[in-house]
Structure formats: C-alpha cells, structure tokens
Amino acid sequence: MDADDTDPMVGDDVGDAIPDEEAILTGIEGVQLTPAEHQRIKDIVNGEEMRRIKGHDTRYLIAGAGGQTGAATRRKLVYEKLADRPDAVSMQLEEFGLTPEEVELWIRVFDILCGRATHIVGVIEDFDGGYVWELGLLFAPAYREKTWILKRRYTDEDVERTRFDNGMAASHVELLLTGDRCCEWESEIELRDCVEEVP
C-alpha cells in the first residue's frame, strides 16, 4: 500500500501545538500526583511490559499516531520490522496500560520509556494529534541523541505545508526533521527502506 496525500488522519483533543523542551519539562515537574497515581507509575515501571523489554541489548521506543488510521498501521509496520531484529524489542506507550482518564500520567511514563530505550523512532505524518506532546520531549538534548525520525513527505507542497505547519514549533522541530537522523518517505516501500537506516 502506498501512502497517499489524502490519507485521513485522526487527531484528538490534546491539541496540535508541539511544546518546546521547557514546556515539556515544566509540565512533567508541575504534575501533582496522588499517592495512587505514584503507585500506578511504580506498577508500570515494575510491571510485565517493562520486564518484557529488559534483557534486550536494543530497545526501540516507537512514537507516532495511534488509533485506527493508516498512519497507525504504518507505525505498526515500523514497530514490527525493528522488533524482528536479533536481540531487539519494540515498545510503544499504549502497551503500558494507561487509560485516556490517566492522561496526566502519560508524559511521565513516556519520559521513563525514553530513558529505558536505546533508540527512539518517531513515525511522523503530520503535526495533528496527542502524540505531538511526545515529540516535544524528544527535543531534549539527552533524548535527541538517540532519536530517529521517519517523516512522511507529500508530493503536493500545499498538503505538505498543511500537514506540518506548526509555527510555534518551527524552530525546534527543525532539529528533528533535518540531518542524518531524519529519513523522508512517500510510499510504504520507501518507509521500509527508511527503517533500514535506523541502527
């Protein structure tokens, strides 16, 4: 299946403004957790999914669109191809059992997963949806060094601009969307080739 310029993307109510590193860190520090929420995070960090990733030399954290969309399907393709590598494991935030009602815990858990990952791979087709908050955290220097971006490229310049127009994020997003750790793709075949560029 080739990517096309009209593939529908489903956002959510988290918003589409990519926060910068300061906003993300302030958001993490500013969350006041109840004792039950602290315990929930401890349970996740010591739970079955976290045990599944331990012991693997290479741990890929895959970020990008979720739900029932073409973008989510392509993200799953990346997840599976990387998990098939010898002594490698893939993970994604939604596997850790957080519910939509626990949205305040998502960024904390994502931060923990970024720390546990040896490689972070963002599969990016637009800047529309809750996962853009995940991207904000990847701008932090400690995580940027192990982040690879597989960015969809649209043949129509207007579509490209519409999908990736985010003036608020323009300056820091360029750090992720340029350089040798960003691979652009139009078709699924090209996406598969991009996956091969991730170490």
Side-chain angles (χ1 to χ4, degrees), residues 25-49:
L25 296 177
T26 300
I28 292 173
E29 294 166 1
V31 173
Q32 299 295 317
L33 300 178
T34 67
E37 290 170 332
H38 275 290
Q39 186 60 51
R40 178 81 168 106
I41 290 176
K42 285 173 61 177
D43 291 344
I44 289 170
V45 169
N46 296 300
E48 184 178 331
E49 273 302 312

PDB file of all heavy atoms in Angstrom, residues 25-49:
ATOM      1  N   LEU A  25       9.265  19.960  30.171  1.00  0.00           N
ATOM      2  CA  LEU A  25       9.859  19.726  31.481  1.00  0.00           C
ATOM      3  C   LEU A  25       9.044  20.388  32.583  1.00  0.00           C
ATOM      4  O   LEU A  25       8.865  19.820  33.659  1.00  0.00           O
ATOM      5  CB  LEU A  25      11.309  20.216  31.490  1.00  0.00           C
ATOM      6  CG  LEU A  25      12.248  19.457  30.537  1.00  0.00           C
ATOM      7  CD1 LEU A  25      13.642  20.049  30.567  1.00  0.00           C
ATOM      8  CD2 LEU A  25      12.279  17.972  30.865  1.00  0.00           C
ATOM      9  N   THR A  26       8.521  21.578  32.299  1.00  0.00           N
ATOM     10  CA  THR A  26       7.655  22.248  33.261  1.00  0.00           C
ATOM     11  C   THR A  26       6.396  21.426  33.484  1.00  0.00           C
ATOM     12  O   THR A  26       5.919  21.281  34.616  1.00  0.00           O
ATOM     13  CB  THR A  26       7.287  23.665  32.775  1.00  0.00           C
ATOM     14  OG1 THR A  26       8.495  24.412  32.633  1.00  0.00           O
ATOM     15  CG2 THR A  26       6.359  24.367  33.755  1.00  0.00           C
ATOM     16  N   GLY A  27       5.861  20.861  32.394  1.00  0.00           N
ATOM     17  CA  GLY A  27       4.668  20.030  32.505  1.00  0.00           C
ATOM     18  C   GLY A  27       4.908  18.796  33.349  1.00  0.00           C
ATOM     19  O   GLY A  27       4.078  18.412  34.180  1.00  0.00           O
ATOM     20  N   ILE A  28       6.069  18.170  33.170  1.00  0.00           N
ATOM     21  CA  ILE A  28       6.398  16.973  33.951  1.00  0.00           C
ATOM     22  C   ILE A  28       6.529  17.337  35.428  1.00  0.00           C
ATOM     23  O   ILE A  28       5.991  16.673  36.305  1.00  0.00           O
ATOM     24  CB  ILE A  28       7.701  16.318  33.439  1.00  0.00           C
ATOM     25  CG1 ILE A  28       7.484  15.723  32.043  1.00  0.00           C
ATOM     26  CG2 ILE A  28       8.178  15.235  34.397  1.00  0.00           C
ATOM     27  CD1 ILE A  28       8.743  15.208  31.395  1.00  0.00           C
ATOM     28  N   GLU A  29       7.277  18.410  35.685  1.00  0.00           N
ATOM     29  CA  GLU A  29       7.520  18.815  37.070  1.00  0.00           C
ATOM     30  C   GLU A  29       6.252  19.339  37.741  1.00  0.00           C
ATOM     31  O   GLU A  29       6.089  19.218  38.949  1.00  0.00           O
ATOM     32  CB  GLU A  29       8.613  19.885  37.112  1.00  0.00           C
ATOM     33  CG  GLU A  29       9.969  19.357  36.674  1.00  0.00           C
ATOM     34  CD  GLU A  29      10.968  20.461  36.380  1.00  0.00           C
ATOM     35  OE1 GLU A  29      10.613  21.653  36.541  1.00  0.00           O
ATOM     36  OE2 GLU A  29      12.100  20.143  35.985  1.00  0.00           O
ATOM     37  N   GLY A  30       5.364  19.945  36.945  1.00  0.00           N
ATOM     38  CA  GLY A  30       4.184  20.581  37.508  1.00  0.00           C
ATOM     39  C   GLY A  30       3.032  19.646  37.826  1.00  0.00           C
ATOM     40  O   GLY A  30       2.079  20.045  38.495  1.00  0.00           O
ATOM     41  N   VAL A  31       3.111  18.413  37.369  1.00  0.00           N
ATOM     42  CA  VAL A  31       2.022  17.470  37.629  1.00  0.00           C
ATOM     43  C   VAL A  31       2.068  17.031  39.090  1.00  0.00           C
ATOM     44  O   VAL A  31       3.091  16.545  39.577  1.00  0.00           O
ATOM     45  CB  VAL A  31       2.121  16.239  36.700  1.00  0.00           C
ATOM     46  CG1 VAL A  31       1.090  15.196  37.091  1.00  0.00           C
ATOM     47  CG2 VAL A  31       1.939  16.651  35.253  1.00  0.00           C
ATOM     48  N   GLN A  32       0.992  17.253  39.785  1.00  0.00           N
ATOM     49  CA  GLN A  32       0.879  16.828  41.177  1.00  0.00           C
ATOM     50  C   GLN A  32       0.157  15.483  41.207  1.00  0.00           C
ATOM     51  O   GLN A  32      -1.016  15.403  40.876  1.00  0.00           O
ATOM     52  CB  GLN A  32       0.088  17.872  41.989  1.00  0.00           C
ATOM     53  CG  GLN A  32       0.732  19.245  42.031  1.00  0.00           C
ATOM     54  CD  GLN A  32       2.067  19.229  42.764  1.00  0.00           C
ATOM     55  OE1 GLN A  32       2.200  18.608  43.810  1.00  0.00           O
ATOM     56  NE2 GLN A  32       3.053  19.912  42.205  1.00  0.00           N
ATOM     57  N   LEU A  33       0.892  14.452  41.568  1.00  0.00           N
ATOM     58  CA  LEU A  33       0.322  13.113  41.563  1.00  0.00           C
ATOM     59  C   LEU A  33      -0.162  12.717  42.954  1.00  0.00           C
ATOM     60  O   LEU A  33       0.461  13.041  43.964  1.00  0.00           O
ATOM     61  CB  LEU A  33       1.363  12.101  41.079  1.00  0.00           C
ATOM     62  CG  LEU A  33       1.911  12.315  39.672  1.00  0.00           C
ATOM     63  CD1 LEU A  33       2.956  11.254  39.367  1.00  0.00           C
ATOM     64  CD2 LEU A  33       0.808  12.291  38.635  1.00  0.00           C
ATOM     65  N   THR A  34      -1.263  12.001  42.969  1.00  0.00           N
ATOM     66  CA  THR A  34      -1.771  11.454  44.219  1.00  0.00           C
ATOM     67  C   THR A  34      -0.942  10.218  44.576  1.00  0.00           C
ATOM     68  O   THR A  34      -0.236   9.659  43.714  1.00  0.00           O
ATOM     69  CB  THR A  34      -3.246  11.037  44.055  1.00  0.00           C
ATOM     70  OG1 THR A  34      -3.302   9.924  43.137  1.00  0.00           O
ATOM     71  CG2 THR A  34      -4.111  12.185  43.559  1.00  0.00           C
ATOM     72  N   PRO A  35      -1.010   9.764  45.810  1.00  0.00           N
ATOM     73  CA  PRO A  35      -0.314   8.517  46.163  1.00  0.00           C
ATOM     74  C   PRO A  35      -0.715   7.348  45.254  1.00  0.00           C
ATOM     75  O   PRO A  35       0.134   6.537  44.877  1.00  0.00           O
ATOM     76  CB  PRO A  35      -0.729   8.279  47.616  1.00  0.00           C
ATOM     77  CG  PRO A  35      -0.979   9.651  48.152  1.00  0.00           C
ATOM     78  CD  PRO A  35      -1.589  10.411  46.994  1.00  0.00           C
ATOM     79  N   ALA A  36      -1.987   7.287  44.884  1.00  0.00           N
ATOM     80  CA  ALA A  36      -2.446   6.208  43.995  1.00  0.00           C
ATOM     81  C   ALA A  36      -1.800   6.329  42.616  1.00  0.00           C
ATOM     82  O   ALA A  36      -1.446   5.312  42.002  1.00  0.00           O
ATOM     83  CB  ALA A  36      -3.967   6.238  43.875  1.00  0.00           C
ATOM     84  N   GLU A  37      -1.638   7.554  42.129  1.00  0.00           N
ATOM     85  CA  GLU A  37      -1.002   7.750  40.813  1.00  0.00           C
ATOM     86  C   GLU A  37       0.488   7.415  40.866  1.00  0.00           C
ATOM     87  O   GLU A  37       1.032   6.825  39.931  1.00  0.00           O
ATOM     88  CB  GLU A  37      -1.233   9.185  40.345  1.00  0.00           C
ATOM     89  CG  GLU A  37      -2.678   9.454  39.961  1.00  0.00           C
ATOM     90  CD  GLU A  37      -2.970  10.923  39.733  1.00  0.00           C
ATOM     91  OE1 GLU A  37      -2.288  11.791  40.332  1.00  0.00           O
ATOM     92  OE2 GLU A  37      -3.902  11.213  38.947  1.00  0.00           O
ATOM     93  N   HIS A  38       1.154   7.790  41.969  1.00  0.00           N
ATOM     94  CA  HIS A  38       2.558   7.390  42.142  1.00  0.00           C
ATOM     95  C   HIS A  38       2.678   5.869  42.113  1.00  0.00           C
ATOM     96  O   HIS A  38       3.581   5.322  41.473  1.00  0.00           O
ATOM     97  CB  HIS A  38       3.107   7.921  43.472  1.00  0.00           C
ATOM     98  CG  HIS A  38       3.607   9.320  43.398  1.00  0.00           C
ATOM     99  ND1 HIS A  38       4.744   9.677  42.727  1.00  0.00           N
ATOM    100  CD2 HIS A  38       3.106  10.477  43.930  1.00  0.00           C
ATOM    101  CE1 HIS A  38       4.943  10.977  42.842  1.00  0.00           C
ATOM    102  NE2 HIS A  38       3.958  11.493  43.554  1.00  0.00           N
ATOM    103  N   GLN A  39       1.767   5.205  42.798  1.00  0.00           N
ATOM    104  CA  GLN A  39       1.798   3.741  42.828  1.00  0.00           C
ATOM    105  C   GLN A  39       1.539   3.177  41.438  1.00  0.00           C
ATOM    106  O   GLN A  39       2.148   2.181  41.048  1.00  0.00           O
ATOM    107  CB  GLN A  39       0.768   3.196  43.820  1.00  0.00           C
ATOM    108  CG  GLN A  39       0.841   1.686  44.002  1.00  0.00           C
ATOM    109  CD  GLN A  39       2.192   1.217  44.508  1.00  0.00           C
ATOM    110  OE1 GLN A  39       2.701   1.739  45.501  1.00  0.00           O
ATOM    111  NE2 GLN A  39       2.778   0.230  43.838  1.00  0.00           N
ATOM    112  N   ARG A  40       0.652   3.815  40.696  1.00  0.00           N
ATOM    113  CA  ARG A  40       0.346   3.360  39.337  1.00  0.00           C
ATOM    114  C   ARG A  40       1.598   3.413  38.465  1.00  0.00           C
ATOM    115  O   ARG A  40       1.885   2.466  37.721  1.00  0.00           O
ATOM    116  CB  ARG A  40      -0.752   4.256  38.749  1.00  0.00           C
ATOM    117  CG  ARG A  40      -1.144   3.921  37.327  1.00  0.00           C
ATOM    118  CD  ARG A  40      -2.112   2.760  37.287  1.00  0.00           C
ATOM    119  NE  ARG A  40      -2.672   2.642  35.962  1.00  0.00           N
ATOM    120  CZ  ARG A  40      -2.339   1.684  35.093  1.00  0.00           C
ATOM    121  NH1 ARG A  40      -1.458   0.754  35.429  1.00  0.00           N
ATOM    122  NH2 ARG A  40      -2.900   1.637  33.903  1.00  0.00           N
ATOM    123  N   ILE A  41       2.352   4.487  38.559  1.00  0.00           N
ATOM    124  CA  ILE A  41       3.589   4.603  37.786  1.00  0.00           C
ATOM    125  C   ILE A  41       4.591   3.550  38.234  1.00  0.00           C
ATOM    126  O   ILE A  41       5.242   2.904  37.410  1.00  0.00           O
ATOM    127  CB  ILE A  41       4.169   6.030  37.888  1.00  0.00           C
ATOM    128  CG1 ILE A  41       3.274   7.005  37.111  1.00  0.00           C
ATOM    129  CG2 ILE A  41       5.594   6.076  37.344  1.00  0.00           C
ATOM    130  CD1 ILE A  41       3.676   8.453  37.216  1.00  0.00           C
ATOM    131  N   LYS A  42       4.723   3.340  39.537  1.00  0.00           N
ATOM    132  CA  LYS A  42       5.632   2.302  40.039  1.00  0.00           C
ATOM    133  C   LYS A  42       5.225   0.923  39.528  1.00  0.00           C
ATOM    134  O   LYS A  42       6.079   0.112  39.158  1.00  0.00           O
ATOM    135  CB  LYS A  42       5.654   2.319  41.569  1.00  0.00           C
ATOM    136  CG  LYS A  42       6.444   3.464  42.144  1.00  0.00           C
ATOM    137  CD  LYS A  42       6.311   3.571  43.645  1.00  0.00           C
ATOM    138  CE  LYS A  42       6.813   2.355  44.369  1.00  0.00           C
ATOM    139  NZ  LYS A  42       6.747   2.504  45.842  1.00  0.00           N
ATOM    140  N   ASP A  43       3.925   0.664  39.485  1.00  0.00           N
ATOM    141  CA  ASP A  43       3.439  -0.623  38.977  1.00  0.00           C
ATOM    142  C   ASP A  43       3.796  -0.802  37.506  1.00  0.00           C
ATOM    143  O   ASP A  43       4.172  -1.899  37.079  1.00  0.00           O
ATOM    144  CB  ASP A  43       1.925  -0.739  39.161  1.00  0.00           C
ATOM    145  CG  ASP A  43       1.521  -0.871  40.629  1.00  0.00           C
ATOM    146  OD1 ASP A  43       2.394  -1.166  41.472  1.00  0.00           O
ATOM    147  OD2 ASP A  43       0.316  -0.660  40.925  1.00  0.00           O
ATOM    148  N   ILE A  44       3.681   0.283  36.744  1.00  0.00           N
ATOM    149  CA  ILE A  44       4.019   0.218  35.312  1.00  0.00           C
ATOM    150  C   ILE A  44       5.508  -0.032  35.137  1.00  0.00           C
ATOM    151  O   ILE A  44       5.936  -0.888  34.358  1.00  0.00           O
ATOM    152  CB  ILE A  44       3.580   1.511  34.599  1.00  0.00           C
ATOM    153  CG1 ILE A  44       2.048   1.551  34.495  1.00  0.00           C
ATOM    154  CG2 ILE A  44       4.223   1.632  33.225  1.00  0.00           C
ATOM    155  CD1 ILE A  44       1.484   2.872  34.023  1.00  0.00           C
ATOM    156  N   VAL A  45       6.320   0.731  35.873  1.00  0.00           N
ATOM    157  CA  VAL A  45       7.776   0.621  35.748  1.00  0.00           C
ATOM    158  C   VAL A  45       8.266  -0.768  36.151  1.00  0.00           C
ATOM    159  O   VAL A  45       9.271  -1.262  35.627  1.00  0.00           O
ATOM    160  CB  VAL A  45       8.462   1.724  36.591  1.00  0.00           C
ATOM    161  CG1 VAL A  45       9.954   1.497  36.702  1.00  0.00           C
ATOM    162  CG2 VAL A  45       8.175   3.080  35.984  1.00  0.00           C
ATOM    163  N   ASN A  46       7.563  -1.415  37.053  1.00  0.00           N
ATOM    164  CA  ASN A  46       7.967  -2.748  37.508  1.00  0.00           C
ATOM    165  C   ASN A  46       7.058  -3.851  36.974  1.00  0.00           C
ATOM    166  O   ASN A  46       7.135  -4.988  37.428  1.00  0.00           O
ATOM    167  CB  ASN A  46       7.971  -2.786  39.044  1.00  0.00           C
ATOM    168  CG  ASN A  46       8.993  -1.839  39.614  1.00  0.00           C
ATOM    169  OD1 ASN A  46      10.174  -1.959  39.339  1.00  0.00           O
ATOM    170  ND2 ASN A  46       8.543  -0.874  40.397  1.00  0.00           N
ATOM    171  N   GLY A  47       6.226  -3.523  36.013  1.00  0.00           N
ATOM    172  CA  GLY A  47       5.239  -4.465  35.518  1.00  0.00           C
ATOM    173  C   GLY A  47       5.730  -5.387  34.424  1.00  0.00           C
ATOM    174  O   GLY A  47       6.893  -5.368  34.013  1.00  0.00           O
ATOM    175  N   GLU A  48       4.808  -6.179  33.925  1.00  0.00           N
ATOM    176  CA  GLU A  48       5.118  -7.205  32.931  1.00  0.00           C
ATOM    177  C   GLU A  48       5.688  -6.629  31.641  1.00  0.00           C
ATOM    178  O   GLU A  48       6.640  -7.165  31.070  1.00  0.00           O
ATOM    179  CB  GLU A  48       3.841  -8.009  32.630  1.00  0.00           C
ATOM    180  CG  GLU A  48       4.056  -9.161  31.679  1.00  0.00           C
ATOM    181  CD  GLU A  48       2.783  -9.961  31.451  1.00  0.00           C
ATOM    182  OE1 GLU A  48       1.930 -10.009  32.349  1.00  0.00           O
ATOM    183  OE2 GLU A  48       2.670 -10.523  30.354  1.00  0.00           O
ATOM    184  N   GLU A  49       5.104  -5.518  31.142  1.00  0.00           N
ATOM    185  CA  GLU A  49       5.598  -4.930  29.898  1.00  0.00           C
ATOM    186  C   GLU A  49       7.027  -4.435  30.047  1.00  0.00           C
ATOM    187  O   GLU A  49       7.839  -4.582  29.147  1.00  0.00           O
ATOM    188  CB  GLU A  49       4.695  -3.777  29.450  1.00  0.00           C
ATOM    189  CG  GLU A  49       3.530  -4.197  28.604  1.00  0.00           C
ATOM    190  CD  GLU A  49       3.934  -4.938  27.334  1.00  0.00           C
ATOM    191  OE1 GLU A  49       4.839  -4.477  26.604  1.00  0.00           O
ATOM    192  OE2 GLU A  49       3.352  -5.997  27.058  1.00  0.00           O
TER     193      GLU A  49
END
